[in-house]
Amino acid sequence: LMETLAYMADASQGAGQLRQAIGERERQLALGERFLAADPGNMDFFRKEMVARRALAQLYLQIGDVAGATKQAEQGVRLAGKLMSVEP
């Protein structure tokens, strides 16, 4: 389901429906957070969240929300650091 939401967000972004794409990415992240809560050691979920946050940061930049983009990018970097400590 996380991948489906990612594909939907990409399609919406490609169609110029940026607000819809943002909503889909936010739903993807909310779902990922539930999965991580159930299985906190699953690095695949961390990777998916990192990619989703990068994509969401780009969407926020496209609508001019620099603060939102910065927040998502910082969280993505934090996740990348966590992944690198486990899977160099």
Side-chain angles (χ1 to χ4, degrees):
L1 186 54
M2 287 181 70
E3 289 84 2
T4 300
L5 288 166
Y7 293 135
M8 290 172 57
D10 289 345
S12 295
Q13 182 179 10
Q17 299 171 341
L18 301 180
R19 298 273 180 202
Q20 182 172 332
I22 288 169
E24 289 155 349
R25 286 291 180 184
E26 289 173 344
R27 283 192 296 280
Q28 178 190 13
L29 286 169
L31 182 61
E33 288 173 3
R34 287 182 25 211
F35 288 150
L36 277 171
D39 187 3
N42 189 324
M43 292 297 110
D44 188 46
F45 293 142
F46 279 103
R47 272 190 295 282
K48 289 176 183 177
E49 182 181 349
M50 181 184 66
V51 170
R53 289 197 183 282
R54 178 182 49 87
L56 187 54
Q58 292 171 342
L59 285 165
Y60 280 137
L61 277 179
Q62 287 182 312
I63 64 166
D65 183 351
V66 175
T70 300
K71 179 181 176 184
Q72 294 303 319
E74 287 172 347
Q75 290 176 333
V77 168
R78 179 185 50 79
L79 289 168
K82 188 172 205 168
L83 282 168
M84 287 174 49
S85 70
V86 175
E87 296 181 4

Coordinates of all heavy atoms in Angstrom, one line a residue:
L1 N 0.8 -1.2 0.0 CA 0.0 0.0 0.0 C 0.9 1.3 0.0 O 0.5 2.2 -0.6 CB -0.9 0.0 1.2 CG -2.0 1.1 1.3 CD1 -2.8 1.2 0.0 CD2 -2.9 0.9 2.5
M2 N 2.0 1.2 0.7 CA 2.9 2.4 0.7 C 3.4 2.7 -0.7 O 3.4 3.8 -1.1 CB 4.1 2.1 1.6 CG 3.7 2.2 3.1 SD 5.2 1.9 4.2 CE 6.0 3.5 3.9
E3 N 3.7 1.6 -1.5 CA 4.1 1.8 -2.9 C 3.0 2.4 -3.7 O 3.3 3.3 -4.6 CB 4.7 0.5 -3.5 CG 6.0 0.1 -2.9 CD 5.8 -0.7 -1.6 OE1 4.6 -1.0 -1.2 OE2 6.8 -1.1 -1.0
T4 N 1.8 1.9 -3.5 CA 0.7 2.4 -4.3 C 0.5 3.9 -4.0 O 0.3 4.7 -5.0 CB -0.6 1.7 -3.9 OG1 -0.4 0.3 -4.2 CG2 -1.8 2.2 -4.7
L5 N 0.6 4.3 -2.8 CA 0.4 5.8 -2.5 C 1.6 6.6 -3.1 O 1.4 7.7 -3.6 CB 0.4 6.0 -0.9 CG -0.9 5.5 -0.3 CD1 -0.7 5.5 1.2 CD2 -2.0 6.5 -0.6
A6 N 2.8 6.0 -3.1 CA 3.9 6.7 -3.8 C 3.6 6.8 -5.3 O 3.9 7.9 -5.8 CB 5.2 5.9 -3.6
Y7 N 3.1 5.8 -5.9 CA 2.8 5.9 -7.4 C 1.7 6.9 -7.6 O 1.8 7.7 -8.6 CB 2.4 4.5 -7.9 CG 3.5 3.5 -8.0 CD1 3.3 2.2 -7.5 CD2 4.8 3.8 -8.4 CE1 4.3 1.3 -7.6 CE2 5.8 2.9 -8.4 CZ 5.6 1.6 -8.0 OH 6.6 0.7 -8.0
M8 N 0.7 6.9 -6.8 CA -0.4 7.9 -6.9 C 0.2 9.3 -6.7 O -0.2 10.2 -7.5 CB -1.5 7.6 -5.9 CG -2.2 6.3 -6.2 SD -3.4 5.9 -4.9 CE -4.4 7.3 -4.8
A9 N 1.1 9.5 -5.8 CA 1.6 10.8 -5.6 C 2.5 11.3 -6.8 O 2.4 12.4 -7.2 CB 2.5 10.8 -4.3
D10 N 3.2 10.4 -7.3 CA 4.0 10.7 -8.5 C 3.1 11.0 -9.7 O 3.4 12.0 -10.4 CB 4.9 9.5 -8.9 CG 6.1 9.3 -7.9 OD1 6.4 10.2 -7.1 OD2 6.7 8.2 -8.0
A11 N 2.0 10.3 -9.8 CA 1.1 10.6 -10.9 C 0.4 12.0 -10.7 O 0.3 12.7 -11.7 CB 0.1 9.5 -11.0
S12 N 0.0 12.2 -9.5 CA -0.6 13.5 -9.2 C 0.4 14.7 -9.5 O 0.0 15.7 -10.1 CB -1.1 13.6 -7.8 OG -2.1 12.6 -7.6
Q13 N 1.6 14.5 -9.0 CA 2.7 15.5 -9.3 C 2.9 15.7 -10.8 O 2.9 16.8 -11.2 CB 4.0 15.1 -8.6 CG 5.1 16.1 -8.7 CD 6.3 15.7 -8.0 OE1 6.5 14.5 -7.6 NE2 7.3 16.6 -7.9
G14 N 2.9 14.6 -11.5 CA 3.1 14.7 -13.0 C 2.0 15.5 -13.6 O 2.2 16.1 -14.7
A15 N 0.8 15.4 -13.1 CA -0.4 16.0 -13.6 C -0.5 17.5 -13.1 O -1.5 18.1 -13.4 CB -1.6 15.2 -13.3
G16 N 0.4 17.9 -12.3 CA 0.4 19.2 -11.8 C -0.5 19.4 -10.5 O -0.8 20.5 -10.1
Q17 N -1.0 18.3 -10.0 CA -1.9 18.4 -8.8 C -1.0 18.2 -7.6 O -1.0 17.2 -6.9 CB -2.9 17.3 -8.9 CG -3.8 17.4 -10.2 CD -4.7 16.2 -10.4 OE1 -4.5 15.1 -9.9 NE2 -5.7 16.4 -11.2
L18 N -0.3 19.3 -7.2 CA 0.7 19.2 -6.2 C 0.1 19.0 -4.8 O 0.6 18.3 -4.0 CB 1.5 20.5 -6.2 CG 2.3 20.7 -7.5 CD1 3.1 22.0 -7.4 CD2 3.2 19.5 -7.9
R19 N -1.0 19.7 -4.5 CA -1.7 19.5 -3.2 C -2.2 18.1 -3.0 O -2.0 17.5 -1.9 CB -2.9 20.5 -3.0 CG -2.5 21.9 -3.1 CD -2.0 22.5 -1.8 NE -1.7 23.9 -1.9 CZ -0.9 24.5 -1.1 NH1 -0.5 23.9 0.0 NH2 -0.6 25.8 -1.3
Q20 N -2.7 17.5 -4.0 CA -3.1 16.1 -4.0 C -1.9 15.2 -3.8 O -2.0 14.3 -3.0 CB -3.9 15.7 -5.2 CG -4.4 14.3 -5.2 CD -5.3 14.0 -6.4 OE1 -5.9 14.8 -6.9 NE2 -5.3 12.7 -6.8
A21 N -0.8 15.5 -4.5 CA 0.4 14.7 -4.3 C 0.9 14.8 -2.9 O 1.3 13.8 -2.3 CB 1.4 15.1 -5.3
I22 N 0.9 15.9 -2.3 CA 1.3 16.1 -0.9 C 0.4 15.3 0.0 O 1.0 14.6 0.9 CB 1.3 17.6 -0.5 CG1 2.4 18.4 -1.3 CG2 1.4 17.8 1.0 CD1 2.4 19.9 -1.2
G23 N -0.9 15.3 -0.2 CA -1.7 14.5 0.7 C -1.4 13.0 0.6 O -1.5 12.3 1.6
E24 N -1.1 12.6 -0.6 CA -0.8 11.2 -0.8 C 0.5 10.8 -0.2 O 0.6 9.7 0.5 CB -0.8 10.8 -2.3 CG -2.2 10.8 -2.9 CD -2.3 11.1 -4.4 OE1 -1.3 11.5 -5.0 OE2 -3.4 10.9 -4.9
R25 N 1.5 11.7 -0.3 CA 2.8 11.4 0.4 C 2.6 11.4 1.9 O 3.2 10.6 2.7 CB 3.8 12.4 0.0 CG 4.4 12.2 -1.4 CD 5.2 11.0 -1.5 NE 5.7 10.8 -2.8 CZ 6.4 9.8 -3.2 NH1 6.7 8.8 -2.4 NH2 6.8 9.7 -4.5
E26 N 1.7 12.3 2.4 CA 1.5 12.4 3.9 C 0.8 11.1 4.3 O 1.1 10.6 5.4 CB 0.7 13.7 4.2 CG 1.5 14.9 4.1 CD 0.8 16.2 4.3 OE1 -0.5 16.2 4.2 OE2 1.4 17.2 4.5
R27 N -0.1 10.6 3.6 CA -0.8 9.4 3.9 C 0.2 8.2 3.9 O 0.2 7.3 4.7 CB -2.0 9.1 3.0 CG -3.2 9.9 3.3 CD -4.5 9.5 2.6 NE -4.4 9.6 1.1 CZ -4.6 10.8 0.5 NH1 -4.8 11.9 1.1 NH2 -4.5 10.8 -0.8
Q28 N 1.1 8.2 2.9 CA 2.1 7.2 2.8 C 3.0 7.2 4.1 O 3.3 6.2 4.6 CB 3.0 7.5 1.6 CG 4.1 6.5 1.4 CD 5.1 6.8 0.3 OE1 5.1 8.0 -0.2 NE2 6.0 5.9 0.0
L29 N 3.4 8.4 4.5 CA 4.2 8.5 5.7 C 3.4 8.1 7.0 O 4.0 7.4 7.8 CB 4.7 9.9 5.9 CG 5.8 10.3 4.9 CD1 6.1 11.8 5.0 CD2 7.1 9.5 5.2
A30 N 2.2 8.4 7.1 CA 1.4 8.0 8.2 C 1.3 6.5 8.3 O 1.4 5.9 9.4 CB 0.0 8.6 8.2
L31 N 1.1 5.9 7.1 CA 1.0 4.4 7.1 C 2.4 3.8 7.5 O 2.4 2.8 8.2 CB 0.6 4.0 5.7 CG 0.4 2.5 5.5 CD1 -0.7 1.9 6.4 CD2 0.1 2.2 4.0
G32 N 3.4 4.4 7.0 CA 4.8 3.9 7.3 C 5.1 4.0 8.8 O 5.7 3.1 9.4
E33 N 4.6 5.1 9.4 CA 4.8 5.2 10.9 C 4.1 4.1 11.6 O 4.6 3.6 12.6 CB 4.3 6.6 11.3 CG 5.2 7.7 10.9 CD 4.7 9.1 11.2 OE1 3.6 9.2 11.8 OE2 5.3 10.1 10.8
R34 N 2.9 3.7 11.2 CA 2.2 2.6 11.8 C 3.0 1.3 11.6 O 3.1 0.5 12.6 CB 0.8 2.5 11.2 CG -0.1 3.6 11.7 CD -1.6 3.5 11.2 NE -2.1 2.2 10.8 CZ -3.0 2.0 9.9 NH1 -3.5 3.0 9.2 NH2 -3.4 0.8 9.6
F35 N 3.5 1.1 10.4 CA 4.3 -0.1 10.2 C 5.6 -0.1 11.1 O 5.9 -1.2 11.6 CB 4.7 -0.2 8.7 CG 3.6 -0.6 7.8 CD1 3.6 -0.2 6.5 CD2 2.5 -1.4 8.2 CE1 2.6 -0.5 5.6 CE2 1.5 -1.7 7.3 CZ 1.5 -1.2 6.0
L36 N 6.2 1.0 11.2 CA 7.4 1.1 12.0 C 7.1 0.9 13.5 O 7.9 0.3 14.2 CB 8.1 2.5 11.8 CG 9.0 2.6 10.6 CD1 9.5 4.0 10.4 CD2 10.2 1.7 10.7
A37 N 6.0 1.4 13.9 CA 5.6 1.2 15.3 C 5.4 -0.3 15.6 O 5.8 -0.8 16.7 CB 4.3 1.9 15.6
A38 N 4.9 -1.0 14.6 CA 4.7 -2.5 14.8 C 6.0 -3.3 14.6 O 6.1 -4.4 15.2 CB 3.7 -3.0 13.8
D39 N 6.9 -2.8 13.9 CA 8.2 -3.5 13.6 C 9.3 -2.5 13.5 O 9.8 -2.2 12.4 CB 8.0 -4.3 12.3 CG 9.2 -5.2 12.0 OD1 10.1 -5.3 12.8 OD2 9.2 -5.8 10.9
P40 N 9.8 -2.0 14.7 CA 10.7 -0.9 14.7 C 12.1 -1.2 14.1 O 12.9 -0.4 13.8 CB 10.9 -0.5 16.1 CG 10.1 -1.5 16.9 CD 9.3 -2.3 16.0
G41 N 12.4 -2.5 14.0 CA 13.7 -2.9 13.4 C 13.7 -3.1 11.9 O 14.8 -3.4 11.3
N42 N 12.6 -2.9 11.3 CA 12.5 -3.2 9.8 C 13.1 -2.0 9.0 O 12.5 -0.9 8.9 CB 11.0 -3.4 9.5 CG 10.9 -3.9 8.0 OD1 11.6 -3.5 7.1 ND2 9.9 -4.7 7.9
M43 N 14.3 -2.2 8.5 CA 15.0 -1.2 7.8 C 14.4 -0.8 6.5 O 14.5 0.3 5.9 CB 16.5 -1.6 7.6 CG 17.3 -1.6 8.9 SD 17.4 0.0 9.7 CE 16.4 -0.3 11.1
D44 N 13.6 -1.8 5.9 CA 12.9 -1.5 4.6 C 11.9 -0.3 4.8 O 11.8 0.5 4.0 CB 12.2 -2.7 4.1 CG 11.6 -2.5 2.7 OD1 12.4 -2.0 1.9 OD2 10.5 -2.9 2.5
F45 N 11.3 -0.3 6.0 CA 10.3 0.8 6.2 C 11.1 2.1 6.4 O 10.6 3.1 6.0 CB 9.5 0.5 7.5 CG 8.5 -0.7 7.3 CD1 8.3 -1.5 8.3 CD2 7.9 -0.9 6.1 CE1 7.4 -2.6 8.2 CE2 7.0 -1.9 5.9 CZ 6.7 -2.8 7.0
F46 N 12.2 2.1 7.0 CA 13.1 3.3 7.2 C 13.5 3.8 5.8 O 13.4 5.0 5.5 CB 14.3 3.0 8.0 CG 14.1 3.1 9.5 CD1 14.0 1.9 10.2 CD2 13.9 4.3 10.1 CE1 13.8 1.9 11.6 CE2 13.7 4.3 11.5 CZ 13.6 3.1 12.2
R47 N 13.9 2.9 4.9 CA 14.2 3.3 3.5 C 13.0 4.0 2.8 O 13.2 5.0 2.2 CB 14.7 2.1 2.7 CG 16.2 1.9 2.8 CD 16.7 0.9 1.8 NE 16.1 -0.5 2.1 CZ 16.5 -1.3 3.0 NH1 17.5 -1.0 3.8 NH2 15.9 -2.5 3.1
K48 N 11.9 3.3 2.9 CA 10.7 3.9 2.3 C 10.3 5.2 2.8 O 9.9 6.1 2.1 CB 9.5 2.9 2.4 CG 9.7 1.7 1.5 CD 8.6 0.6 1.7 CE 8.9 -0.6 0.9 NZ 7.9 -1.6 1.1
E49 N 10.4 5.4 4.1 CA 10.1 6.7 4.8 C 11.1 7.7 4.3 O 10.7 8.9 4.0 CB 10.2 6.6 6.3 CG 9.8 7.9 6.9 CD 9.8 7.8 8.5 OE1 9.9 6.8 9.1 OE2 9.7 8.9 9.0
M50 N 12.4 7.4 4.2 CA 13.4 8.3 3.8 C 13.1 8.8 2.4 O 13.1 10.0 2.1 CB 14.8 7.7 3.8 CG 15.9 8.6 3.4 SD 17.5 7.8 3.3 CE 17.2 6.6 2.0
V51 N 12.8 7.9 1.5 CA 12.4 8.3 0.1 C 11.2 9.1 0.0 O 11.1 10.1 -0.7 CB 12.3 7.0 -0.8 CG1 11.7 7.3 -2.2 CG2 13.6 6.3 -0.9
A52 N 10.2 8.8 0.8 CA 8.9 9.5 0.8 C 9.2 11.0 1.4 O 8.6 11.9 0.8 CB 7.9 8.8 1.7
R53 N 10.0 11.1 2.4 CA 10.3 12.4 2.9 C 11.0 13.3 1.9 O 10.8 14.5 1.8 CB 11.0 12.3 4.2 CG 10.1 11.8 5.3 CD 10.7 12.0 6.7 NE 9.8 11.4 7.7 CZ 8.6 11.9 8.1 NH1 8.2 13.1 7.6 NH2 7.9 11.3 9.0
R54 N 11.9 12.7 1.2 CA 12.7 13.4 0.1 C 11.7 13.9 -0.9 O 11.7 15.1 -1.3 CB 13.7 12.6 -0.5 CG 14.5 13.3 -1.6 CD 15.5 12.4 -2.3 NE 15.0 11.1 -2.7 CZ 14.4 10.8 -3.8 NH1 14.2 11.7 -4.7 NH2 14.0 9.6 -4.1
A55 N 10.8 13.0 -1.3 CA 9.8 13.4 -2.3 C 8.8 14.5 -1.8 O 8.5 15.4 -2.5 CB 9.0 12.2 -2.8
L56 N 8.4 14.4 -0.5 CA 7.6 15.4 0.0 C 8.3 16.7 0.2 O 7.7 17.8 -0.1 CB 7.1 14.9 1.4 CG 6.0 15.7 2.1 CD1 4.8 15.9 1.2 CD2 5.6 15.0 3.4
A57 N 9.6 16.7 0.5 CA 10.3 17.9 0.6 C 10.3 18.6 -0.8 O 10.1 19.8 -0.9 CB 11.8 17.7 1.0
Q58 N 10.5 17.9 -1.9 CA 10.5 18.4 -3.2 C 9.1 19.0 -3.6 O 9.0 20.1 -4.2 CB 10.9 17.4 -4.2 CG 12.3 17.0 -4.1 CD 12.7 15.8 -5.0 OE1 11.8 15.0 -5.4 NE2 14.0 15.6 -5.2
L59 N 8.1 18.3 -3.1 CA 6.7 18.9 -3.4 C 6.5 20.2 -2.6 O 5.9 21.1 -3.2 CB 5.7 17.8 -3.0 CG 5.5 16.7 -3.9 CD1 4.7 15.5 -3.2 CD2 4.8 17.1 -5.2
Y60 N 6.9 20.2 -1.4 CA 6.8 21.5 -0.6 C 7.5 22.6 -1.3 O 7.1 23.7 -1.3 CB 7.2 21.3 0.8 CG 6.2 20.6 1.7 CD1 6.6 19.6 2.6 CD2 4.9 21.0 1.7 CE1 5.7 19.0 3.5 CE2 4.0 20.3 2.6 CZ 4.4 19.4 3.4 OH 3.5 18.8 4.3
L61 N 8.7 22.3 -1.8 CA 9.5 23.4 -2.5 C 8.7 23.8 -3.7 O 8.7 25.0 -4.0 CB 10.8 22.8 -2.9 CG 11.9 22.9 -1.9 CD1 13.2 22.3 -2.5 CD2 12.2 24.3 -1.4
Q62 N 8.0 22.9 -4.4 CA 7.3 23.3 -5.6 C 6.2 24.3 -5.3 O 5.8 25.0 -6.2 CB 6.8 22.1 -6.4 CG 7.9 21.3 -7.1 CD 7.4 20.1 -7.9 OE1 6.6 19.3 -7.3 NE2 7.8 20.0 -9.1
I63 N 5.6 24.2 -4.1 CA 4.5 25.1 -3.8 C 5.0 26.3 -3.0 O 4.2 27.1 -2.5 CB 3.3 24.4 -3.0 CG1 3.8 23.8 -1.7 CG2 2.7 23.3 -3.9 CD1 2.7 23.4 -0.8
G64 N 6.3 26.4 -2.8 CA 6.9 27.5 -2.1 C 7.0 27.4 -0.6 O 7.2 28.4 0.1
D65 N 6.7 26.2 0.0 CA 6.8 26.0 1.4 C 8.2 25.6 1.8 O 8.5 24.4 1.9 CB 5.7 25.0 1.8 CG 5.7 24.8 3.3 OD1 6.5 25.3 4.1 OD2 4.8 24.1 3.8
V66 N 9.1 26.6 2.0 CA 10.5 26.3 2.3 C 10.6 25.6 3.6 O 11.4 24.7 3.8 CB 11.3 27.5 2.1 CG1 12.8 27.3 2.5 CG2 11.3 28.1 0.7
A67 N 9.9 26.1 4.6 CA 9.9 25.5 6.0 C 9.5 24.1 6.0 O 10.2 23.2 6.6 CB 9.1 26.4 6.9
G68 N 8.4 23.8 5.3 CA 8.0 22.4 5.2 C 9.0 21.5 4.5 O 9.2 20.4 4.9
A69 N 9.5 22.0 3.4 CA 10.6 21.3 2.7 C 11.8 21.0 3.6 O 12.3 19.9 3.6 CB 11.0 22.0 1.4
T70 N 12.2 22.0 4.3 CA 13.4 21.9 5.2 C 13.1 20.8 6.2 O 14.0 20.0 6.5 CB 13.7 23.2 5.8 OG1 14.0 24.2 4.7 CG2 14.9 23.1 6.7
K71 N 12.0 20.9 6.8 CA 11.6 19.9 7.9 C 11.7 18.5 7.3 O 12.3 17.6 8.0 CB 10.2 20.2 8.5 CG 9.8 19.2 9.5 CD 8.4 19.6 10.0 CE 7.9 18.5 11.0 NZ 6.6 18.8 11.5
Q72 N 11.1 18.3 6.2 CA 11.1 16.9 5.6 C 12.5 16.5 5.2 O 12.8 15.3 5.4 CB 10.1 16.9 4.4 CG 8.7 17.0 4.7 CD 8.2 16.0 5.7 OE1 8.5 14.9 5.7 NE2 7.4 16.5 6.7
A73 N 13.2 17.4 4.7 CA 14.6 17.1 4.3 C 15.5 16.7 5.5 O 16.2 15.7 5.4 CB 15.2 18.2 3.5
E74 N 15.3 17.4 6.5 CA 16.1 17.2 7.8 C 15.7 15.8 8.3 O 16.6 15.0 8.8 CB 15.8 18.3 8.8 CG 16.5 19.6 8.5 CD 16.1 20.7 9.4 OE1 15.1 20.6 10.2 OE2 16.8 21.7 9.3
Q75 N 14.4 15.5 8.3 CA 14.0 14.2 8.8 C 14.5 13.0 7.9 O 14.9 12.0 8.4 CB 12.5 14.1 8.9 CG 11.9 15.0 10.0 CD 10.4 15.0 10.1 OE1 9.7 14.8 9.1 NE2 9.9 15.2 11.3
G76 N 14.6 13.3 6.6 CA 15.1 12.3 5.7 C 16.6 12.1 5.9 O 17.1 11.0 5.9
V77 N 17.3 13.2 6.2 CA 18.8 13.0 6.5 C 19.0 12.3 7.8 O 19.9 11.4 7.9 CB 19.4 14.4 6.6 CG1 20.8 14.4 7.2 CG2 19.5 15.1 5.2
R78 N 18.1 12.5 8.8 CA 18.2 11.8 10.0 C 18.0 10.3 9.8 O 18.8 9.4 10.3 CB 17.2 12.3 11.0 CG 17.2 11.6 12.4 CD 16.0 12.0 13.3 NE 14.7 12.0 12.7 CZ 13.9 11.0 12.5 NH1 14.4 9.8 12.9 NH2 12.7 11.1 12.0
L79 N 17.1 9.9 9.0 CA 16.8 8.5 8.6 C 18.0 7.9 7.9 O 18.3 6.8 8.1 CB 15.5 8.4 7.8 CG 14.2 8.6 8.6 CD1 13.1 8.8 7.6 CD2 14.0 7.5 9.6
A80 N 18.6 8.7 7.0 CA 19.7 8.2 6.2 C 20.9 7.9 7.1 O 21.5 6.9 7.0 CB 20.2 9.3 5.2
G81 N 21.1 8.7 8.1 CA 22.1 8.5 9.1 C 21.9 7.2 9.9 O 22.8 6.4 10.1
K82 N 20.6 7.0 10.2 CA 20.2 5.8 11.0 C 20.5 4.5 10.1 O 21.0 3.5 10.5 CB 18.8 5.8 11.4 CG 18.3 4.7 12.3 CD 16.9 5.0 12.8 CE 16.8 4.3 14.1 NZ 15.6 4.7 14.9
L83 N 20.1 4.6 8.8 CA 20.3 3.5 7.9 C 21.8 3.2 7.7 O 22.2 2.1 7.7 CB 19.6 3.8 6.6 CG 18.1 3.6 6.5 CD1 17.6 4.2 5.2 CD2 17.8 2.1 6.6
M84 N 22.6 4.3 7.6 CA 24.0 4.1 7.3 C 24.7 3.4 8.5 O 25.6 2.7 8.4 CB 24.7 5.4 7.0 CG 24.3 5.9 5.6 SD 24.9 7.5 5.2 CE 26.6 7.5 5.7
S85 N 24.2 3.7 9.7 CA 24.8 3.1 10.9 C 24.5 1.6 11.0 O 25.2 0.8 11.6 CB 24.3 3.8 12.2 OG 22.9 3.5 12.4
V86 N 23.4 1.1 10.3 CA 23.0 -0.3 10.3 C 23.5 -1.0 9.1 O 23.9 -2.1 9.1 CB 21.5 -0.4 10.5 CG1 21.0 -1.8 10.4 CG2 21.0 0.3 11.8
E87 N 23.3 -0.3 7.9 CA 23.7 -0.9 6.7 C 24.6 0.0 5.9 O 24.2 0.7 5.0 CB 22.4 -1.1 5.8 CG 21.4 -2.1 6.5 CD 20.2 -2.2 5.6 OE1 20.1 -1.7 4.5 OE2 19.3 -2.9 6.0
P88 N 25.9 0.0 6.3 CA 26.9 0.9 5.6 C 27.0 0.5 4.2 O 27.2 0.9 3.2 CB 28.1 0.7 6.4 CG 28.0 -0.5 7.2 CD 26.5 -0.8 7.3

